[in-house]
């Protein structure tokens, strides 16, 4: 979305950047030389932004196969004295955690930053998890920006902090930072030469003996946090009522205090150095406070930290009442430990706690308006895109499973195709956990035959997930001869996070050709038999799935067809339309197959004519519906 | 409008529609134009995974002097730009007040429940009537048709961007928008988007 360049050399100018672009700009201003990531929403756009500017600022960028490899590659650059960045979502930080807990013992050299995206309300995730606990487990300091502008400043500072204390620094950005945008004042661009150097006498080893040294580094970070410009207080002096907030919640709290008319009595303390905490700074405000409210998202990290602090200095702090997630006072409509905060939620919570009332200016005639529509406002659930090859694959798999009739178990994975859990994917999937889990579970189920478990087992996963997490589980299935069918829905890209390339595409983050790492070759090397088919040939795919289902042992099927959105980019689409003379509407007996059953969003019903129709603004021209229409009433005019 | 301005100091604009309609780009053009005009801007995007078909809404908050949070409080929208009738009404019911100005495309985008025949999409005329009961000012325009006239139905987002710039609610004029469109696009696409923008603007002012 980069409207006015992340790469502009105009210090002092304000430009519109997304939070992800602001992090990229902060890294550029800090002189980052090396960036590696596996894409995950909400942070997926950081690396592509850096990749576009890699030539200009001499930055190496790569999409790594997974987050553990990415953090290790970034650490390598840091060991060689370069500033390096790795980016992941919190689920990816789990994958990288093994290394993260080790590098805190060995330390690093060049400034190293780990940007982690947390996703309150799980807008683009399957769960909500708080990366701050992981940073603490790994003994890595963590900073969290409250605004897009601060995302840039904090990222830049994180590189300096990392070099000072010789630990990688985690920058936590929630979705409301990553996907938000705002005016960002550009800083100076670096001029220093970037040179890698690693001599034989430099060692980066981990031993438990270094634990104490590591703790002293964290102590240094805590001392520096005491006078950090990213922590500040707004409100009356010696306030008896204070709100302690971090991340975007800080602005919600400020706005709530203002809306409730509490500015003269309630202070707001913003903390960006969430771990380790600046103890003296917080104590200064705790001493006068009698009521303290915590406003933060996902888990009670800040709350737990401050309450521990209050317990440690109980004789100085005195009697204080704490309100937050643990007391249940600060909660989204989904509960204190789920969902996300917003100005209305925080206004409601603070209003109750401080006994202040506010009613939002509503719409007086809302009942009349609802009555006019008989209160009918249909919801909008997610759907696979028009022309999505996964829809064709799922239809074929569903049909083959029904033909087989043995109640095959179908396990899912993480990607666009997770929508196989819901109606757009015919509710085919039975489990979704984390990347690669479907195959691991399948490899377990495939060994239950001695316990009278006779159903066929299918694991579906995408191509990018295959490279990220499948090989270990597939080797396990092959080694232990588990009876399972692994179906790889290969749309030749990492579609869900925005079409980033992967080893199967054979191009780099900057678009350079690198040669493909073939899925078939990997499977062949493992000794797993593999078949490849085009899912747009729905009938043929159904036959292939059915046939392979009858076999036993570990086996694989690649259903390969490029993502429909990627395929039509910059090209003229095929024109697909319904021949109004051939479609016989409800007389057909097909139950409006194209719109109601196959349910591609482009297949609509023309109620006036009583005939099927195609929404040309939505259709991507795949023509799959044409091959399934019992009247052969759908015409495809091919342009490609 | 004056009361709302006092209560929620920034000017609050919501752009809403369905994933894939180009509404995010419209909000970014508005935000970039505001920054060029010297304002502070916060934009909050609400969308799920990048699959299409889900509701998408952007909150754009334009302020003289401060960085606002990325989300607009309920009832606090001064202007709602809807790319689709049902979503426009849905968002208006949450974020509107009687003085909210509505700019809306008249073309429905059917949710999967309606395609499956389980639910019925309300008659668009009825949606317009309902909106008229809620607020004083609504501009309905055939943005998709106007975009097609300009050269491509996909440019409906720029028609609506033109319309929002033309409804005299913003504290800066349309040349800041055209400046952004000029920087953002090149060649035929720039010409198409400029034409679409002007069509939207003229329709609202007409």
């Amino acid at each position: 979305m980069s409207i006015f360049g992340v790469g502009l050399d105009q210090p002092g100018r304000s430009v519109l950047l997304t939070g992800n672009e602001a992090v990229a700009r902060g890294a550029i201003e800090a002189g980052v030389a090396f960036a590696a990531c596996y894409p995950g929403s909400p942070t997926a756009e950081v690396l592509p932004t850096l990749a576009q500017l890699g030539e200009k600022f001499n930055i190496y960028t790569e999409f790594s196969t997974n987050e553990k490899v990415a953090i290790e590659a970034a650490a390598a650059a840091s060991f060689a004295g370069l500033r390096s960045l790795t980016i992941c979502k919190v689920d990816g930080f789990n994958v990288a955690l093994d290394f993260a807990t080790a590098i805190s013992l060995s330390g690093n050299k060049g400034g190293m930053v780990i940007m982690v995206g947390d996703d309150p309300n799980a807008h683009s995730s399957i769960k909500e998890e708080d990366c701050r606990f992981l940073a603490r487990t790994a003994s890595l300091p963590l900073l969290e920006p409250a605004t897009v502008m601060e995302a840039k400043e904090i990222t830049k500072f994180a590189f300096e902090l990392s070099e000072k204390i010789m630990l990688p620094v985690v920058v936590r950005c929630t979705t409301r930072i990553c996907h938000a945008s705002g005016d960002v004042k550009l800083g100076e661009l670096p001029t220093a030469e970037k040179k890698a150097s690693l001599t034989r006498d430099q060692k980066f080893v981990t031993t438990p003996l270094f634990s104490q040294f590591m703790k002293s580094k964290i102590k240094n970070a805590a001392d520096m946090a005491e006078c950090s410009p990213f922590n500040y207080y707004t409100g009356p002096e010696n306030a008896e009522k204070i709100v302690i907030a971090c991340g975007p919640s800080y602005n919600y709290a400020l706005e709530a205090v203002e809306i409730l008319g509490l500015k003269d009595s309630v202070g707001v303390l913003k903390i960006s150095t969430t771990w380790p905490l600046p103890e003296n700074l917080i104590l200064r405000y705790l001493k006068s406070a009698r009521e303290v409210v915590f406003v933060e998202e996902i888990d009670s990290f800040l709350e737990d930290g401050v309450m521990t602090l209050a317990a440690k200095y109980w004789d100085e702090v005195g009697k204080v009442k704490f309100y937050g997630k643990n007391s249940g006072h600060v909660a989204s409509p989904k509960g204190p430990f789920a969902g996300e905060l917003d100005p209305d939620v925080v206004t409601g919570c603070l209003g109750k706690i401080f006994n202040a009332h506010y009613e939002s200016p509503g719409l007086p005639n809302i009942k009349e308006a609802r009555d006019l529509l008989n209160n009918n406002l249909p919801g909008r659930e997610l759907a696979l895109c028009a022309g999505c090859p996964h829809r064709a694959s799922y239809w074929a798999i569903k049909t083959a499973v029904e033909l087989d009739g043995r109640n095959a178990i179908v396990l899912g994975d993480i990607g666009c195709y997770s929508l196989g859990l819901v109606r757009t994917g015919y509710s085919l999937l039975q489990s979704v956990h984390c990347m690669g889990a479907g195959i691991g579970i399948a490899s377990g189920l495939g060994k239950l035959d001695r316990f009278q478990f006779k159903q066929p087992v299918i694991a579906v996963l995408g191509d990018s997930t295959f490279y990220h997490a499948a090989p270990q589980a597939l080797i396990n299935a092959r080694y232990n001869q588990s009876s399972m069918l692994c179906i790889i829905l290969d749309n030749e890209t990492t579609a869900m996070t925005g079409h980033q390339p992967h080893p199967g595409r054979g191009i780099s983050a900057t678009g350079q050709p690198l040669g493909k790492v073939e899925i078939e070759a990997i499977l062949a090397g493992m000794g797993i038999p593999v078949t490849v088919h085009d899912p747009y040939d729905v009938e043929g795919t159904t036959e292939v799935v059915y046939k392979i289902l009858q076999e036993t042992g570990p086996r694989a099927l690649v259903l390969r067809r490029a993502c429909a959105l990627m395929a039509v980019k910059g090209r003229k689409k095929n024109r697909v339309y319904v021949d109004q003379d051939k479609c016989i509407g409800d007389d057909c007996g097909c139950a409006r197959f194209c719109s109601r059953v196959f349910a591609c969003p482009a297949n609509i019903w023309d109620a006036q004519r009583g005939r099927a129709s195609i929404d040309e603004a939505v259709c991507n021209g795949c023509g799959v519906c044409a091959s399934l229409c019992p009247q052969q009433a759908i015409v495809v005019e091919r342009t490609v | 409008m004056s009361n709302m301005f006092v209560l929620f100091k920034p000017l609050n604009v919501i752009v809403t529609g369905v994933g894939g309609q180009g509404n995010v780009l419209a909000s970014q053009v508005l935000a970039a134009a505001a920054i060029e005009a010297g304002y502070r801007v916060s934009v909050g995007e609400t969308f799920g995974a990048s699959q299409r078909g889900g509701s998408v809404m952007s909150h754009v908050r334009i302020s003289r002097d401060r960085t606002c949070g990325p989300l607009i409080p309920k009832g606090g929208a001064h202007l709602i730009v809807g790319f689709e009738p049902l979503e426009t009404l849905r968002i208006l019911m949450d974020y509107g007040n009687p003085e909210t100005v509505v700019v809306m495309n008249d073309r429905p985008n059917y949710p999967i429940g309606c395609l499956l025949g389980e639910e019925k999409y309300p008659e668009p005329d009825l949606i317009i009537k309902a909106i008229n009961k809620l607020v004083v000012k609504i501009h309905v325009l055939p943005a998709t048709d106007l975009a097609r006239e300009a050269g491509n139905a996909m440019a409906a987002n720029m028609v609506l961007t033109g319309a929002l710039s033309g409804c005299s609610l913003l504290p800066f004029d349309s040349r800041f928008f055209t400046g952004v469109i000029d920087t953002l696009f090149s060649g035929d696409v720039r010409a198409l988007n400029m034409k679409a923008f002007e069509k939207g603007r003229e329709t609202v002012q007409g």
Side-chain angles (χ1 to χ4, degrees), chain B residues 155-166:
Chain B
N157 60 349
M158 283 305 126
V159 173
L160 287 158
T161 308
L164 90 87
S165 84

Side-chain angles (χ1 to χ4, degrees), chain A residues 49-351:
Chain A
T49 304
L50 289 170
Q52 277 177 25
L53 295 164
E55 215 39 58
K56 187 171 177 184
F57 296 110
N58 192 21
I59 304 166
Y60 169 78
T61 52
E62 75 168 38
F63 282 115
S64 313
T65 42
N66 69 28
E67 296 83 356
K68 181 169 179 288
V69 179
I71 194 177
E72 288 156 355
S78 167
F79 294 161
L82 299 169
R83 288 190 165 182
S84 71
L85 174 70
T86 184
I87 309 124
C88 55
K89 69 186 293 178
V90 61
D91 310 71
F93 196 33
N94 291 332
V95 176
L97 197 62
D98 206 358
F99 184 79
T101 54
I103 194 174
S104 50
L105 287 167
S106 77
N108 61 312
K109 198 165 96 191
M112 180 172 168
V113 173
I114 305 167
M115 181 213 187
V116 183
D118 273 5
D119 191 12
N121 205 36
H123 288 285
S124 49
S125 311
I126 51 146
K127 65 178 191 292
E128 294 162 286
E129 185 183 347
D130 196 320
C131 77
R132 296 176 296 181
F133 293 96
L134 304 183
R136 193 176 65 190
T137 299
S139 292
L140 303 178
L142 178 139
L143 307 168
E144 48 185 319
T147 63
V148 172
M149 175 65 195
E150 215 177 53
K152 187 198 77 145
E153 296 300 323
I154 280 187
T155 303
K156 192 174 167 187
F157 167 72
F159 283 96
E160 293 159 25
L161 177 63
S162 169
E163 265 164 33
K164 273 190 191 138
I165 61 169
M166 290 184 296
L167 280 179
V169 173
V170 179
V171 175
R172 179 203 198 213
C173 292
T174 60
T175 304
R176 294 293 177 195
I177 296 290
C178 297
H179 286 173
S181 36
D183 49 297
V184 173
K185 195 178 266 187
L186 301 177
E188 302 277 345
L189 292 169
T191 49
E193 197 198 355
K194 299 167 183 176
K195 194 169 180 306
S197 156
L198 185 57
T199 55
R200 276 290 301 146
D201 59 337
Q202 289 177 309
K203 288 186 167 44
F204 297 91
V205 290
T206 61
T207 147
L209 290 174
F210 294 163
S211 302
Q212 212 43 52
F213 183 41
M214 178 185 77
K215 294 290 177 204
S216 72
K217 291 175 177 183
I218 293 294
K219 175 77 176 57
N220 284 348
D223 291 344
M224 288 171 71
E226 295 290 357
C227 49
S228 165
F230 303 117
N231 301 325
Y232 43 81
Y233 173 83
T234 319
E237 268 182 60
N238 301 320
E240 288 193 1
K241 298 170 180 174
I242 59 168
V243 176
I244 307 183
C246 58
S249 306
Y250 165 68
N251 267 311
Y252 306 152
L254 269 191
E255 193 157 355
V257 166
E258 205 173 307
I259 288 174
L260 292 165
L262 296 171
K263 272 173 88 171
D264 296 335
S265 58
V266 177
V268 182
L269 176 61
K270 167 186 171 283
I271 298 293
S272 277
T273 59
T274 331
W275 199 80
L277 282 175
E279 295 197 349
N280 294 324
L281 175 82
I282 293 172
L283 273 178
R284 198 182 313 150
Y285 296 98
L286 274 189
K287 280 178 191 169
S288 64
R290 295 304 96 196
E291 290 182 282
V292 178
V293 185
F294 300 99
V295 182
E296 62 185 317
E297 287 181 300
I298 299 191
D299 219 317
S300 58
F301 186 85
L302 186 61
E303 179 176 343
D304 295 353
V306 173
M307 281 167 75
T308 306
L309 185 67
K312 193 166 147 191
Y313 297 98
W314 63 274
D315 51 342
E316 290 175 56
V317 173
K319 200 174 167 189
V320 183
K321 188 142 174 57
F322 293 107
Y323 303 92
K325 289 176 184 292
N326 288 304
S327 71
H329 285 87
V330 180
S332 88
K334 291 181 177 173
F337 292 95
E340 67 177 345
L341 302 178
D342 61 34
D344 298 300
V345 169
V346 178
T347 302
C349 298
L350 294 187

Side-chain angles (χ1 to χ4, degrees), chain A residues 539 576-585 588 590 593-594 612 614 623-636:
Chain A
E539 204 176 320
V576 183
Y577 63 94
V578 177
D579 184 331
Q580 297 292 314
D581 296 328
K582 280 192 181 171
C583 175
I584 51 175
C588 178
C590 72
F593 178 85
C594 54
I614 284 169
V624 169
C625 58
S627 73
L628 295 170
C629 171
Q631 287 293 326
Q632 293 170 335
I634 302 175
V635 184
V636 185

